[in-house]
């Protein structure tokens, strides 16, 4: 039987596979107003509304929640202003939006209960940003049919609307329980650009954390299945290379030009020629390239937006070093200059055995769970690893948990959606895990 307490208004989170109406409504509201990285003004304000309804001991917003100096891929001021105005028009609290300033989004909520001074400090990280892509309008797409399809042009195509709802639900149930300790809810912005983890890690809010849980829905696991510990994170660095050459008339004086597109194309070809490494998996991708202005002008500028990944942080660094050398050599070969900017990075990480074992045991007693996988590999990248490593390097423990959900389209597609039956499963699972951690204080397995 689930250990979650009866929630407010007599609703029990372990009463079955249906989430309370107000949490379903929250998920759908967030789904209707998705906002990409650093533009999560409405999303943060809506979460704050729920936090204030529940009641927290401390609430941090804007530069009090994250370290703005570590942000990357922040939009231009005009774009941020446009998203702020859109959030206000949708009903976001102006006071909250003002505190978020120029895209310093996200929130940290803290509750202390019982003999908290002698209890552990437990953190739950949930990400809140959306993807810059359009959502399906097909009648067989559930959000479109039921009237909560995106209204912003962005889309919750990876389930972060469910993650935020998990966070609010867990806070609500823990607040109504006999939990003794400190619980920190970390509502992190900008995961999709690998941009929010580091600013949150360096905010100071994780310095005293003993245990950290992070969560994701889906990952190709069905509703009713839980993965107690996700590993196999690929360390990643995203980069942008700007090539600068010299224009020239392609017909009359081609020798006067220095072709930036030619330098870029040479770099792309040679990036894919970087030798693989015997220590593990490595990846490289030139995901977006461009340059030039007309067919009869030697192009003076070009760019590559790409990434390198590695099975370990060391392998990622191996790829990054060689990628930078390839790019710089291509520029030199074609008498161009190049500027390389790292636009986001995250290390690899491993879920701690003691927490994985605890989550596995908890999951077996959660209503709606019919299958528990001990560990699985992500096979991609996630900047929750910044938080996991930060806590682990200071003597704490961390684990990344997956709550399965049936979804009609794959992650990041226009038809992705969350099976709402997974909402109460995730809230139950994470609440029970927090309560068990507080009671048992598992020690790191040697």
């Amino acid at each position: 039987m689930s250990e979650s307490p009866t929630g407010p208004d007599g609703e029990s989170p372990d009463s079955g596979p249906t989430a309370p109406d107000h949490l379903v409504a929250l998920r759908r509201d967030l789904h209707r107003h998705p906002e990409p990285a650093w533009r999560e003004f409405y999303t943060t304000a809506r979460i704050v509304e729920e936090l204030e309804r529940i009641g927290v001991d401390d609430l941090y917003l804007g530069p009090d929640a994250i370290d703005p100096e570590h942000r990357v891929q922040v939009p231009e001021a005009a774009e941020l202003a446009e998203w702020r105005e859109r959030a206000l028009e949708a009903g976001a609290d102006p006071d909250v939006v003002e505190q978020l300033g120029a895209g310093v989004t996200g929130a940290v909520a803290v509750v202390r209960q019982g003999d908290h001074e002698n209890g552990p400090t437990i953190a739950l990280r949930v990400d809140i940003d959306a993807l810059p892509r359009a959502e399906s309008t097909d009648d067989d797409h559930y959000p479109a049919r039921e009237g909560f399809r995106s209204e912003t042009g962005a889309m919750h195509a990876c389930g972060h609307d469910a993650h935020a709802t998990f966070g609010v639900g867990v806070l609500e149930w823990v607040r109504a329980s006999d939990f003794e300790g400190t619980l920190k809810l970390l509502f992190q912005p900008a995961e999709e650009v690998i941009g929010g983890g580091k600013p949150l890690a360096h905010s100071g809010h994780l310095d005293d954390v003993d245990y950290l849980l992070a969560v994701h829905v889906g990952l190709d696991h069905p509703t009713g299945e839980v993965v107690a510990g996700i590993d196999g994170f690929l360390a990643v660095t995203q980069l942008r290379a700007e090539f600068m050459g010299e224009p020239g008339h392609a017909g009359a004086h081609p020798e006067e030009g220095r072709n930036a597109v030619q330098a870029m194309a040479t770099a792309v070809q040679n990036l894919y020629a970087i030798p693989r490494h015997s220590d593990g998996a490595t990846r490289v991708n030139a995901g977006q390239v461009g340059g030039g202005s007309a067919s009869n002008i030697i192009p003076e500028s070009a760019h590559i937006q790409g990434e390198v990944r590695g099975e370990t942080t060391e392998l990622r660094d191996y790829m990054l070093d060689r990628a930078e050398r390839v790019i710089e050599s291509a520029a030199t070969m074609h008498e161009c200059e190049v500027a390389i900017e790292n636009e986001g990075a995250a290390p690899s990480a491993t879920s701690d055995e003691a927490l994985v074992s605890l989550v596995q045991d908890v999951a077996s007693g959660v209503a709606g769970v019919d299958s528990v996988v001990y560990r699985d590999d992500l096979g991609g990248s996630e900047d929750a690893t910044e938080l996991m490593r930060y806590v682990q390097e200071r003597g704490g423990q961390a684990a990344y948990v997956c709550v399965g959900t049936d979804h009609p389209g794959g992650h990041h597609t226009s038809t992705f959606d969350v099976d709402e039956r997974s909402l109460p499963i995730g809230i139950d699972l994470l609440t029970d895990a927090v309560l068990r951690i507080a009671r048992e204080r598992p020690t790191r397995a040697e």
Side-chain angles (χ1 to χ4, degrees):
M1 181 177 179
S2 173
E3 298 177 3
S4 300
T6 299
D9 302 321
E11 293 175 306
S12 173
D14 56 63
S15 61
T18 303
D21 289 346
H22 67 285
L23 294 179
V24 173
L26 171 62
R27 200 287 286 200
R28 294 186 179 189
D29 189 26
L30 296 177
H31 192 92
R32 190 165 55 249
H33 299 96
E35 298 160 307
W38 306 124
R39 306 160 182 87
E40 306 98 327
F41 299 104
Y42 181 89
T43 303
T44 302
R46 186 68 179 84
I47 290 167
V48 168
E49 181 182 335
E50 294 296 320
L51 299 178
E52 291 177 340
R53 173 183 63 80
I54 296 165
V56 298
D57 294 303
D58 292 307
L59 179 58
Y60 301 94
L61 301 175
D64 295 327
I66 66 170
D67 183 351
E69 297 303 314
H70 285 94
R71 291 181 303 160
V72 294
Q73 298 198 48
V74 181
E76 296 293 332
E79 184 175 356
L80 289 171
E82 179 183 336
W83 282 89
R84 274 198 306 270
E85 186 60 32
R86 180 179 293 172
L88 292 170
E89 291 174 356
D93 185 336
D95 291 337
V96 173
V97 173
E98 183 177 357
Q99 290 181 69
L100 303 179
V104 190
T105 47
V108 173
V110 182
V111 297
R112 304 179 189 87
Q113 291 189 189
D115 185 14
H116 61 84
E117 292 183 355
N118 293 311
T121 298
I122 304 170
L124 172 62
R125 177 271 200 176
V126 293
D127 43 9
I128 65 173
D129 59 321
L131 286 152
R133 65 151 304 131
E135 183 167 8
S136 173
T137 59
D138 293 345
D139 288 341
D140 58 357
H141 180 53
Y142 188 70
R145 187 171 70 249
E146 296 299 314
F148 62 96
R149 178 186 174 274
S150 169
E151 298 176 358
T152 68
M155 181 187 173
H156 272 300
C158 204
H160 296 189
D161 49 342
H163 300 172
T165 305
F166 285 162
V168 171
V170 169
L171 182 64
E172 191 164 9
W173 304 139
V174 168
R175 205 57 162 153
S177 77
D178 59 359
F179 171 75
E180 292 201 16
T182 300
L183 176 63
K184 296 187 176 184
L185 266 296
L186 313 174
F187 295 92
Q188 183 206 303
E191 184 278 328
E192 294 292 0
V193 297
I194 315 293
K198 191 170 184 178
L200 182 55
H202 290 271
S203 66
H205 294 297
L206 275 76
D207 291 358
D208 62 347
V209 169
D210 302 303
Y211 304 95
L212 169 74
L213 296 175
V215 64
H216 207 296
V217 292
L219 304 181
D220 297 324
H221 293 274
T223 301
E225 186 161 273
V226 165
V227 182
I230 293 288
D231 298 309
F233 297 96
L234 297 179
V236 62
T237 293
Q238 297 178 337
L239 52 86
R240 184 178 179 90
E242 294 280 355
F243 295 86
M244 291 78 69
E246 188 72 29
H249 193 292
H253 298 287
E255 75 284 356
E256 294 180 357
R258 291 185 288 119
N259 196 321
V261 165
Q262 196 172 12
M264 177 268 288
T266 300
V268 169
Q269 183 174 14
N270 290 331
L271 282 170
Y272 289 101
I274 295 173
R276 304 302 90 173
H277 201 292
S278 61
D279 285 351
T282 55
R283 304 281 189 273
V284 63
N285 189 51
Q288 201 274 332
V289 301
S293 56
S295 63
N296 61 349
I297 300 174
I298 303 295
E300 62 190 291
S301 63
H303 71 272
I304 298 173
Q305 195 148 1
E307 63 177 26
V308 293
R309 305 192 196 213
E311 188 172 330
T312 65
T313 306
E314 292 73 22
L315 287 169
R316 185 274 315 272
D317 292 344
Y318 161 84
M319 292 298 291
L320 179 60
D321 176 66
R322 280 149 184 80
E324 289 176 341
R325 278 196 278 160
V326 162
I327 292 168
E328 289 165 355
S329 296
T332 300
M333 179 185 297
H334 296 286
E335 300 182 276
C336 293
E337 290 76 46
V338 66
I340 304 172
E341 180 181 358
N342 290 347
E343 293 194 319
S348 58
T350 300
S351 295
D352 282 296
E353 182 69 18
L355 286 185
V356 174
S357 179
L358 183 147
V359 172
Q360 180 193 40
D361 191 49
V362 165
S364 65
V366 171
V369 173
D370 51 38
S371 175
V372 182
V373 177
Y374 194 62
R375 287 183 184 265
D376 193 18
D377 286 347
L378 181 70
S381 305
E382 228 278 22
D383 70 358
T385 55
E386 285 278 2
L387 311 181
M388 294 170 70
R389 292 280 288 265
Y390 192 92
V391 169
Q392 290 167 334
E393 289 168 0
R394 286 157 180 77
Q397 297 182 60
Y400 193 99
V401 180
C402 172
V403 176
T405 193
D406 295 336
H407 46 83
H411 288 268
H412 293 207
T413 68
S414 66
T415 57
F416 180 87
D417 189 31
V418 170
D419 179 357
E420 290 175 339
R421 293 176 300 166
S422 64
L423 296 178
I425 293 173
I427 294 168
D428 263 10
L429 174 72
L430 296 166
T431 301
D432 289 358
V434 167
L435 298 180
R436 278 279 293 276
I437 291 168
R439 284 201 311 272
E440 298 179 8
R441 304 190 194 188
T443 56
R444 178 177 282 111
E446 298 297 336

